[in-house]
Amino acid sequence: MKLSRFASDLSARGLLYAIANDRIHAPVPLDAEQNWQLWTEPKSPLIEWLSRAYPPESMRIAYLDKMLDCDHSQGIEAHYDVSNDFYALFLDTKYRFYTCAEFQTDTETLEQAQTNKAKYLLSFLNLAGDEKLLDLGCGWGAMLKFLQDTGHRGELTGFTLSKDQQIYASQKLDLNVSLTDFIATDFASAAYDRILSIGSLEHVRPHELNQLYQKTYDALVPGGLAVHQFFSLTRAAYPTSMVTIQLFFPGSLLVMHQTHIAAAELAGFKITHDSIHDYRPTLRAWYERLVANQSRALELVGLEIFNRYMTFLPISWLFFQQHEADLHRMVMEKPA
């Protein structure tokens, strides 16, 4: 059965997908050091070529088009609604950010690095204190909680498609977070002073991008700002990595960065900032924390989900190491 699945995956989805799926279904917990090295150490030129060239683009497009037929909520629930307590084992303990942190030194804790990131984004938001703000894909409400902690008095609203996240944010943190698909939902015209997203534009499919940027633009007051942190593709629109990522985020497909820029400018935005940041230290920190909490993780979610995240984190590190995508922080202004 195991050999048959690997051969089938190899033929239909390629080498990286086959190896990743095989390790997800390993009969024992993956060895931490061996697993990290498997994904992150340099490979032979032949293996590198094979992992990038197969399946051919026509097969990738056909498979991904089929995966994109599913509803957004299915993919979000598959990744996020496994256990709030499980995520708490490896995310920062203060805010529970599941997005790229900002490590300014090698000795900083994950908590310090995530606070650095939040301060970084806060500086872009340019808040006086009473602005009305919408957080698209707000997760467990980390940035909304940070804004409250730093004294923001304006109305704060968050959207998420994860039931577990919505319950946590609304009941544990008493935040105004609703179970809303921000991609499919219409926004009221000129309803917000600021619109924010951290790690959620990755779930917007290519054909949905223009409409999202346009309705974001329309939902801002004149002079309003949209601040986004997200990663986007650098070289190819349908790389083999997008096939493998379906194991972890079914129904998601990243977009080329120039497509994001074009969609924002078409909507009318003036891009005032676009910087690139390193996701790898955050992924490594999450991995180390998950490894340190292996016993509890297995109790909470079982072997297959534990091995899935043990595979997801280093394969994501490799994704950024090979510069298939970059993590961007962007500020977009709607002219006054």
Side-chain angles (χ1 to χ4, degrees):
M1 173 66 179
K2 181 179 177 181
L3 183 61
S4 174
R5 182 182 63 233
F6 185 89
S8 176
D9 285 345
L10 181 63
S11 173
R13 308 285 176 254
L15 181 62
L16 290 182
Y17 185 106
I19 295 174
N21 202 26
D22 182 65
R23 297 188 71 76
I24 289 169
H25 292 92
V28 295
L30 297 173
D31 178 81
E33 184 176 357
Q34 186 273 338
N35 182 61
W36 185 265
Q37 290 177 350
L38 171 75
W39 292 110
T40 62
E41 288 189 344
K43 308 297 187 297
S44 70
L46 177 61
I47 295 297
E48 290 285 356
W49 176 83
L50 182 60
S51 66
R52 292 174 184 272
Y54 190 86
E57 187 175 62
S58 59
M59 289 178 62
R60 290 176 231 158
I61 292 174
Y63 172 63
L64 291 169
D65 284 349
K66 181 179 179 181
M67 292 298 296
L68 296 187
D69 284 340
C70 73
D71 187 81
H72 282 287
S73 62
Q74 296 178 32
I76 296 299
E77 291 172 3
H79 189 89
Y80 293 99
D81 288 351
V82 295
S83 165
N84 283 339
D85 290 339
F86 169 69
Y87 277 99
L89 296 177
F90 63 91
L91 301 184
D92 65 289
T93 56
K94 189 171 184 179
Y95 289 111
R96 206 172 290 194
F97 277 107
Y98 190 34
T99 50
C100 179
E102 183 71 22
F103 284 88
Q104 296 177 351
T105 70
D106 293 338
T107 59
E108 285 187 323
T109 65
L110 180 60
E111 284 70 24
Q112 289 171 316
Q114 290 291 14
T115 299
N116 293 342
K117 182 267 298 294
K119 290 179 178 178
Y120 201 125
L121 295 174
L122 177 61
S123 70
F124 289 150
L125 288 167
N126 191 27
L127 298 172
D130 58 356
E131 291 86 356
K132 187 176 180 181
L133 183 144
L134 172 64
D135 188 344
L136 306 176
C138 65
W140 289 272
M143 192 64 188
L144 297 177
K145 181 66 167 61
F146 176 82
L147 290 169
Q148 282 189 342
D149 289 350
T150 51
H152 189 73
R153 304 177 303 277
E155 180 181 324
L156 299 173
T157 301
F159 292 164
T160 180
L161 269 176
S162 164
K163 296 183 179 70
D164 286 359
Q165 290 178 341
Q166 191 273 334
I167 291 170
Y168 178 86
S170 60
Q171 296 184 8
K172 296 287 187 181
L173 302 182
D174 196 28
L175 296 169
N176 178 26
V177 172
S178 65
L179 200 65
T180 301
D181 184 351
F182 72 84
I183 299 171
T185 299
D186 291 330
F187 303 158
S189 178
Y192 301 99
D193 300 293
R194 303 288 186 269
I195 294 180
L196 169 75
S197 76
I198 313 176
S200 61
L201 293 190
E202 293 89 340
H203 300 292
V204 182
R205 297 160 181 170
H207 69 278
E208 299 165 334
L209 206 62
N210 284 348
Q211 182 181 12
L212 177 71
Y213 276 111
Q214 187 62 62
K215 70 180 185 180
T216 300
Y217 181 90
D218 293 341
L220 286 167
V221 300
L225 298 176
V227 176
H228 301 297
Q229 174 176 299
F230 63 98
F231 51 91
S232 48
L233 295 170
T234 58
R235 293 193 300 262
Y238 292 92
T240 55
S241 56
M242 290 300 96
V243 173
T244 305
I245 206 66
Q246 301 308 309
L247 289 167
F248 312 108
F249 287 104
S252 289
L253 175 62
L254 294 178
V255 183
M256 298 288 289
H257 192 65
Q258 59 262 38
T259 306
H260 277 278
I261 292 174
E265 291 179 340
L266 179 65
F269 280 114
K270 176 184 177 183
I271 297 173
T272 59
H273 179 92
D274 185 0
S275 56
I276 295 176
H277 302 262
D278 191 356
Y279 213 138
R280 293 172 301 171
T282 306
L283 293 163
R284 180 62 175 171
W286 288 339
Y287 186 81
E288 290 173 352
R289 289 196 175 191
L290 180 56
V291 169
N293 290 286
Q294 174 178 312
S295 296
R296 180 59 177 151
L298 289 169
E299 290 176 5
L300 287 169
V301 298
L303 178 61
E304 183 178 324
I305 291 178
F306 173 75
N307 281 344
R308 175 176 285 112
Y309 284 77
M310 286 287 287
T311 304
F312 169 65
L313 295 172
I315 208 171
S316 298
W317 186 97
L318 177 65
F319 180 63
F320 290 103
Q321 174 71 10
Q322 294 181 333
H323 298 289
E324 291 204 45
D326 286 324
L327 189 285
H328 290 260
R329 291 180 186 145
M330 296 187 67
V331 182
M332 305 173 186
E333 180 181 352
K334 179 176 180 175

